């Protein structure tokens, strides 16, 4: 397990001292995180790292997962899609069943911790217990709900407004109509994880060799699930435009498509768009953080041509490896890239192709963007910053709780 002290060479000792001193002020406070899955997805990924680190700092944080059956998770999946702006059809029974499962969990969970930190919509209705428990409740929204389907958003809003405050990942995700304070805390990457730690060059080279990719020629890569919103077909169009002028290879690497019918469909479209071009490598990968790490490290340029994005962790991951990144200016990506300083922001296929040619023709400029990008990630998107902001959030919440009104 990673020890909090292992971050010192990266962040310096002051950062850790600050974390210890903030944590000290939370002595005696209990914090419970609740979400809907222990494995898979960014939320579980972050909690897996965050809770043990909080414990090492002396904070009594814990993590529980709500229980639900297939019917419940089908409903919450529809919620998820609708919150991302997709049109879904809901019945009254869907909403009733959602409440019923949340109430069944209420009966099983001990919700007496000083701070209840509820993640995403699935367990949102647990807040029904707030008045009885007389503790503080925070709702952490990890998705962009700015274009949410009205029916689902209004249903959830009745619960959101019962919380003491809510946390979004980017300022652009805030909602004008909420009555509670909204706090912005962006996600983070763990520099010591298998996904991001330093790797021996030989290992990186072996991964490219395994996939038949020539490291002596430029490699342009996008790492993403095969999802329309990541626009992999658009990436192939970009590559085709650029290839007329510059030699390069394209890697589209992603996993998780086999159990996702839409993912398989996107993958087929990607394969059709790629045709017989031997310089396009479409990699359907099993979960393997070291392999993703190597692909990011060995690539010349990383793309993230998403049409819509939550935060876009892949951008921070690439920048941490000092890679030049060209990404769409959507979701949390503009937080991570200052255009022409720590990467390039594009708005179209033509724009992405233009910048790709520019970087392929100017490796020194590309290298400088990568260097600046790493500095930005180091200052803003490492797990230590995330820990600090969570500690401050818990402190401000518990202070509010301690205030006596006359
Ligand atoms: N990822 C992975 N394997 C893959 C594709 C993606 O491990 O085949 C990881 C990627 O490195 C990143 C996360 O999945 O850590 C995706 O997060 P992001 O915020 O970029 O996009 P999301 O998939 O959550 O929309």
């Amino acid at each position: 397990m990673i020890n909090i002290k292992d971050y010192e060479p990266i962040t310096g000792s002051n950062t850790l001292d600050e974390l210890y001193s903030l944590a000290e002020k939370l002595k005696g406070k209990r914090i419970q995180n609740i979400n809907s899955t222990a494995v898979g997805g960014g939320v579980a990924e972050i909690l897996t790292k965050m809770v043990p680190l909080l414990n090492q700092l002396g904070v009594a944080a814990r993590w529980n997962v709500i229980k639900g059956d297939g019917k419940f998770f089908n409903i919450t999946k529809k919620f998820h899609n609708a919150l991302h702006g997709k049109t879904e059809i809901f019945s009254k029974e869907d909403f009733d069943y959602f409440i019923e499962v949340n109430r069944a969990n209420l009966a099983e969970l001990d919700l007496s911790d000083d701070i209840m930190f509820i993640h995403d919509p699935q367990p949102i209705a647990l807040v029904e217990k707030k008045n009885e428990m007389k503790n503080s409740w925070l709702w952490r929204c990890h998705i962009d709900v700015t274009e949410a389907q009205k029916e689902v958003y209004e249903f959830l809003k009745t619960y959101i407004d019962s919380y003491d405050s809510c946390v979004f990942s980017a300022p652009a995700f805030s909602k004008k109509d909420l009555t509670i304070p909204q706090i912005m805390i962006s996600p983070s990457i763990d520099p010591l994880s298998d996904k991001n730690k330093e790797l021996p060059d030989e290992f990186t080279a072996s991964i490219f060799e395994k996939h038949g990719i020539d490291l002596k020629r430029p490699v342009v890569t996008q790492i993403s699930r095969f999802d329309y919103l990541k626009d992999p077909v658009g990436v192939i169009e970009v590559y085709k435009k650029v290839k007329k002028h510059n030699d390069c290879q394209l890697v589209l690497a992603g996993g998780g498509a086999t159990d996702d019918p839409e993912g398989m469909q996107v993958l087929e479209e990607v394969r059709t768009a790629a045709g017989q071009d031997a310089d396009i490598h479409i990699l359907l990968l099993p979960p393997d953080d070291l392999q993703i790490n190597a692909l990011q490290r060995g690539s010349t340029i990383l793309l993230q041509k998403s049409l819509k994005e939550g935060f876009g962790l892949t951008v921070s991951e690439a920048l941490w490896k000092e890679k030049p990144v060209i990404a769409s200016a959507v979701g949390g990506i503009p937080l991570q890239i200052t255009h022409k300083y720590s990467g390039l922001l594009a708005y179209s296929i033509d724009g992405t192709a233009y910048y790709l040619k520019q970087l392929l023709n100017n490796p020194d400029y590309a290298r400088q963007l990568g260097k600046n990008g790493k500095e930005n990630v180091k200052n803003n998107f490492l797990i230590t910053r995330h820990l600090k902001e969570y500690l401050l959030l818990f402190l401000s919440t518990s202070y509010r709780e301690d205030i006596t009104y006359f």
Side-chain angles (χ1 to χ4, degrees):
M1 197 177 75
I2 292 167
N3 189 303
I4 187 94
K5 295 203 166 60
D6 299 339
Y7 294 95
E8 191 176 322
I10 298 170
T11 63
S13 57
N14 286 354
T15 300
L16 300 191
D17 290 347
E18 191 179 20
L19 292 179
Y20 277 111
S21 102
L22 290 171
E24 176 71 27
K25 297 187 172 61
L26 281 163
K27 278 265 147 61
K29 298 286 177 196
R30 291 178 309 136
I31 295 145
Q32 183 176 182
N33 292 273
I34 298 184
N35 79 326
S36 62
T37 174
V39 281
V43 181
E45 174 82 15
I46 289 174
L47 286 173
T48 306
K49 307 222 157 62
M50 191 63 90
V51 173
L53 289 175
L54 284 167
N55 293 158
Q56 282 184 40
L57 288 166
V59 177
R62 60 182 178 135
W63 172 19
N64 270 309
V65 175
I66 56 162
K67 292 195 193 109
D69 57 6
K71 182 175 165 188
F72 175 73
F73 288 118
N74 279 336
I75 295 167
T76 57
K77 175 88 197 285
K78 279 204 296 174
F79 276 18
H80 183 83
N81 288 340
L83 289 170
H84 270 112
K86 190 171 168 216
T87 306
E88 295 278 3
I89 310 290
F90 294 96
S91 64
K92 181 176 178 305
E93 204 211 334
D94 287 340
F95 293 113
D96 289 347
Y97 195 68
F98 176 85
I99 296 170
E100 191 183 319
V101 172
N102 266 264
R103 286 189 182 149
N105 278 283
L106 274 183
E108 288 197 16
L109 289 163
D110 166 13
L111 304 171
S112 65
D113 299 51
D114 301 284
I115 298 172
M116 297 299 307
F117 201 19
I118 310 298
H119 298 260
D120 277 344
Q122 298 89 337
I124 198 169
L126 297 179
V127 74
E128 281 189 350
K129 198 83 170 180
K130 181 180 166 215
N131 284 344
E132 190 184 318
M133 302 313 296
K134 301 200 174 9
N135 47 5
S136 296
W137 288 66
L138 307 172
W139 186 57
R140 175 61 169 112
C141 180
H142 294 269
I143 48 187
D144 175 2
V145 293
T146 44
E147 283 168 31
Q149 192 175 318
K150 198 162 176 270
E151 187 186 17
V152 178
Y153 177 68
E154 304 236 301
F155 170 75
L156 293 178
K157 186 177 177 307
T158 57
Y159 293 105
I160 303 171
D161 278 332
S162 307
Y163 282 80
D164 292 294
S165 44
C166 61
V167 183
F168 289 107
S169 294
F173 298 175
S174 63
K175 301 289 288 184
K176 282 205 178 74
D177 56 353
L178 292 176
T179 57
I180 57 170
Q182 300 173 52
I183 294 149
M184 196 213 92
I185 299 180
S186 44
S188 60
I189 61 162
D190 182 349
L192 301 179
S193 66
D194 283 350
K195 178 76 63 62
N196 297 306
K197 68 184 185 188
E198 298 275 346
L199 293 177
D201 289 345
E202 308 79 65
F203 177 78
T204 299
S206 73
I207 297 293
F208 281 76
E209 198 179 326
K210 181 170 96 177
H211 294 298
I213 307 160
D214 181 3
L215 268 181
K216 294 194 195 73
R217 295 165 53 217
V219 182
V220 178
T221 300
Q222 175 160 300
I223 308 276
S224 277
R225 293 174 294 105
F226 288 99
D227 182 321
Y228 290 111
L229 296 178
K230 307 288 182 183
D231 201 16
V233 172
V235 171
I236 292 178
E237 286 184 48
V238 168
Y239 159 85
K240 285 183 175 164
K241 279 178 187 281
V242 172
K243 186 78 183 204
K244 291 182 194 146
H245 310 274
N246 295 72
D247 178 42
C248 61
Q249 304 157 88
L250 177 67
V251 177
L252 284 166
T258 41
D259 57 351
D260 174 355
E262 196 176 65
M264 286 311 283
Q265 197 181 320
V266 175
L267 185 59
E268 276 318 304
E269 288 177 26
V270 169
R271 286 187 170 138
T272 306
Q276 298 304 313
D277 190 328
D279 276 339
I280 302 181
H281 300 268
I282 299 161
L283 312 180
L284 183 58
L285 303 175
D288 181 351
D289 286 351
L290 287 173
Q291 184 162 201
I292 297 290
N293 186 344
L295 287 170
Q296 289 169 330
R297 278 184 194 279
S299 295
T300 317
I301 295 165
L302 273 300
L303 300 182
Q304 192 57 58
K305 215 214 137 303
S306 306
L307 302 172
K308 201 164 160 57
E309 196 52 80
F311 177 71
L313 278 176
T314 49
V315 171
S316 276
E317 290 165 5
L319 294 175
W320 178 245
K321 294 161 186 117
E322 285 194 37
K323 292 293 155 183
V325 179
I326 307 169
S328 303
V330 294
I333 291 176
L335 289 178
Q336 303 176 68
I337 291 181
T338 301
H339 186 50
K340 296 188 176 176
Y341 177 74
S342 50
L344 294 168
L345 293 174
Y347 296 83
S348 63
I349 287 172
D350 283 339
T352 312
Y354 173 82
Y355 288 131
L356 183 52
K357 276 186 279 179
Q358 188 183 21
L359 292 191
L360 287 169
N361 290 332
N362 195 344
D364 286 341
Y365 178 47
R367 209 168 297 119
Q368 191 56 48
L369 293 179
K371 269 198 191 329
N372 295 346
K374 178 167 189 178
E375 199 55 27
N376 186 31
V377 173
K378 187 176 164 187
N379 292 334
N380 298 301
F381 301 114
L382 295 187
I383 194 162
T384 38
R385 183 275 311 158
H386 202 173
L387 265 169
K388 175 179 158 181
E389 290 189 342
Y390 272 1
L391 290 171
L392 287 168
L393 171 70
F394 300 149
L395 269 173
S396 66
T397 305
S398 55
Y399 273 129
R400 206 174 309 138
E401 196 185 290
D402 291 341
I403 292 170
T404 313
Y405 294 97
F406 296 98

